[in-house]
């Protein structure tokens, strides 16, 4: 009986140990690089990664609806506005460790370390090499010049990247100037907004327009695409980092936070430390063409070719705080 009882106890302890060796991530990101990161984490730690993917707002609503019963340990997404939505709802807990403090610059962490950025991307302007002379566009505001009427390409106003850009403009320039900018850009549209950022660059190549607003990493994807037409689309444009003589170029992030309801906080913290490591940061920049957060990691060669640039002082809380006002402005000016 004693042997049998001891065997049961050992079996239960063994099962309990390995049942906890997992994390569940609700992720808005959809990149092959992330799949490689999840696999590498499991290979190195033995911790299995369960991933649930959907749109960021859908996941945020799901987390809130599930409450304490959610299986999610981490929320992982692109755009600080999405991260701030979850933080403002009180769903994150602080992610504190000496490793995070060492590898993650303070300005790229949410309030109280409730989310941690692990990659950066710039909201840039791309322009036709053939039709837009170098130096003719230097700022976001230049896109409102009537000389670009019928030549500006950009995705829908509902795209979170555009909402965050306008939200920051409201914060830094004031509502009236932010509205003036949105109105001027809308007046210069080459077509009704549609598609994603890569589609705007493809449209420049197709001569549907001459300039576009895009996240920097999308150009990296086109230039390194297996599709020859996409490579040619990428090669047809050059990149402009706006506002280098004043506030700097608008920056955004991909980030991750531990949910208050997490049943695997220690493992979740390990994953955040892992994604900030030099090995993983090199994967993120060399495979997905995002800028690394870890200052010890150099950007991918193609990003280095584009050169250094001045970055807007981040105020990520404003991305969500002003989001509704940004959408109102877009509606007012007819940016669909």
């Amino acid at each position: 009986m004693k042997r049998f009882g001891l065997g049961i106890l050992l079996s239960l302890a063994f099962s309990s140990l390995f049942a906890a060796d997992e994390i569940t991530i609700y992720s808005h990101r959809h990149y092959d690089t992330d799949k490689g990161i999840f696999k590498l984490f499991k290979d190195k730690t033995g911790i299995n990664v369960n991933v649930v993917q959907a749109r960021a707002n859908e996941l945020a609503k799901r987390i809130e609806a599930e409450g304490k019963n959610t299986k999610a340990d981490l929320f992982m997404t692109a755009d600080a506005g999405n991260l701030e939505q979850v933080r403002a709802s009180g769903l994150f807990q602080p992610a504190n460790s000496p490793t995070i403090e060492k590898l993650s610059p303070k300005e790229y962490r949410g309030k109280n370390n409730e989310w941690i950025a692990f990659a950066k991307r710039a909201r840039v302007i791309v322009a036709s090499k053939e039709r837009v002379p170098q130096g003719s566009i230097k700022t976001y505001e230049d896109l409102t010049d009537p000389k670009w009427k019928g030549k500006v390409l950009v995705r829908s106003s509902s795209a979170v990247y555009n909402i965050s850009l306008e939200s920051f403009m409201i914060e830094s320039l004031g509502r009236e100037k932010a509205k003036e900018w949105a109105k001027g850009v809308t007046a210069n549209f080459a077509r009704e907004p549609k598609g994603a950022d890569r589609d705007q660059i493809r449209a420049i190549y197709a001569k549907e327009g001459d300039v576009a607003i895009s996240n920097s990493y999308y150009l990296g994807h086109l230039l390194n695409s297996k599709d020859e037409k996409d490579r040619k689309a990428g090669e047809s444009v050059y990149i402009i980092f706006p506002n280098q003589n004043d506030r700097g170029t608008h920056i955004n992030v991909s980030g991750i936070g531990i949910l208050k309801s997490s049943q695997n906080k220690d493992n979740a913290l390990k994953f955040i430390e892992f994604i900030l490591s030099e090995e993983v940061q090199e994967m993120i920049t060399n495979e997905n063409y995002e800028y690394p957060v870890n200052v010890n990691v150099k950007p991918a060669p193609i990003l280095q070719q584009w050169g250094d640039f001045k970055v807007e002082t981040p105020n990520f809380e404003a991305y969500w705080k002003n989001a509704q006002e940004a959408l109102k402005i877009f509606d007012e000016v007819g940016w669909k």
Side-chain angles (χ1 to χ4, degrees):
M1 286 291 292
K2 288 183 180 179
R3 287 183 181 176
F4 180 78
L6 180 60
I8 290 290
L9 289 173
L10 287 173
S11 177
L12 288 172
F14 188 79
S15 299
S16 175
L17 175 65
F18 282 91
D21 279 350
E22 64 177 10
I23 51 173
T24 297
I25 302 176
Y26 281 12
S27 178
H28 166 226
R29 283 170 57 96
H30 49 80
Y31 311 116
D32 289 339
T33 302
D34 291 10
K35 295 177 184 177
I37 292 169
F38 301 148
K39 182 180 184 303
L40 186 62
F41 181 71
K42 181 180 180 181
D43 290 345
K44 285 183 173 289
T45 65
I47 299 170
N48 190 53
V49 181
N50 307 309
V51 181
V52 175
Q53 286 187 309
R55 292 181 181 274
N57 62 338
E58 293 171 359
L59 291 172
K61 289 177 182 177
R62 178 171 174 173
I63 292 166
E64 197 163 5
E66 290 173 343
K68 293 180 180 180
N69 296 318
T70 185
K71 294 182 179 180
D73 297 298
L74 293 154
F75 176 61
M76 180 176 175
T77 187
D79 196 278
N82 292 327
L83 292 161
E84 278 297 306
Q85 178 183 0
V86 175
R87 190 194 67 77
S89 298
L91 299 174
F92 283 140
Q93 61 177 297
N96 295 316
S97 80
T99 299
I100 290 173
E101 293 290 327
K102 179 182 177 183
L103 300 181
S104 170
K106 187 175 181 180
E107 63 268 29
Y108 290 103
R109 293 181 238 149
K111 190 175 181 180
N112 301 320
N113 281 12
E114 291 182 39
W115 57 261
I116 310 295
F118 59 83
K120 298 179 288 185
R121 62 272 295 273
R123 195 81 178 135
V124 299
I125 297 170
V126 291
S128 169
K129 290 178 179 177
E130 290 182 354
R131 303 184 298 278
V132 181
Q134 293 272 353
S136 58
I137 296 175
K138 294 182 179 179
T139 67
Y140 295 108
E141 289 83 350
D142 286 342
L143 294 179
T144 67
D145 191 313
K147 73 180 181 181
W148 303 115
K149 188 174 182 63
K151 297 180 180 180
V152 177
L153 295 151
V154 67
R155 67 199 296 174
S156 166
S157 62
S158 64
V160 68
Y161 306 133
N162 289 335
I163 295 170
S164 291
L165 174 59
E166 180 70 2
S167 294
F168 191 81
M169 285 189 170
I170 293 169
E171 190 73 14
S172 59
L173 305 177
R175 190 186 193 279
E176 287 309 309
K177 286 188 177 180
K179 181 178 178 179
E180 184 180 326
W181 177 78
K183 184 178 181 180
V185 171
T186 303
N188 287 341
F189 281 170
R191 64 179 185 186
E192 187 172 300
K194 62 179 180 179
D197 283 358
R198 272 177 281 201
D199 295 312
Q200 314 313 315
I201 300 171
R202 291 175 181 129
I204 292 177
Y205 179 58
K207 298 184 178 180
E208 295 178 35
D210 291 350
V211 295
I213 302 172
S214 172
N215 280 347
S216 52
Y217 74 101
Y218 285 116
L219 181 56
H221 276 282
L222 286 175
L223 290 168
N224 290 277
S225 174
K226 294 179 180 178
D227 186 302
E228 183 181 2
K229 191 173 181 180
D230 272 354
R231 290 198 303 274
K232 287 182 177 179
E235 291 164 0
S236 74
V237 302
Y238 65 94
I239 194 166
I240 300 165
F241 293 101
N243 298 83
Q244 292 302 285
N245 294 324
D246 46 77
R247 66 183 181 274
T249 296
H250 178 74
I251 203 82
N252 213 318
V253 298
S254 284
I256 191 166
I258 304 174
L259 297 168
K260 279 185 177 178
S261 52
S262 171
Q263 300 299 307
N264 300 296
K265 181 183 176 181
D266 290 345
N267 288 344
L269 197 62
K270 286 178 184 177
F271 183 81
I272 295 178
E273 293 173 344
F274 176 74
I275 207 168
L276 292 170
S277 69
E278 290 187 20
E279 182 178 13
V280 177
Q281 290 281 290
E282 286 174 356
M283 290 174 65
I284 288 169
T285 191
N286 289 312
E287 296 177 18
N288 206 46
Y289 312 108
E290 295 175 276
Y291 288 91
V293 167
N294 186 323
V295 295
N296 297 316
V297 176
K298 292 182 179 180
I302 192 168
L303 305 184
Q304 293 182 49
Q305 289 174 19
W306 296 340
D308 295 330
F309 60 98
K310 181 181 178 181
V311 173
E312 259 179 353
T313 302
N315 182 355
F316 296 124
E317 289 183 40
Y319 291 19
W320 174 245
K321 182 184 73 174
N322 296 332
Q324 292 304 312
E325 197 63 35
L327 284 169
K328 285 181 184 178
I329 288 174
F330 287 146
D331 285 343
E332 288 171 9
V333 304
W335 183 329
K336 298 181 180 179

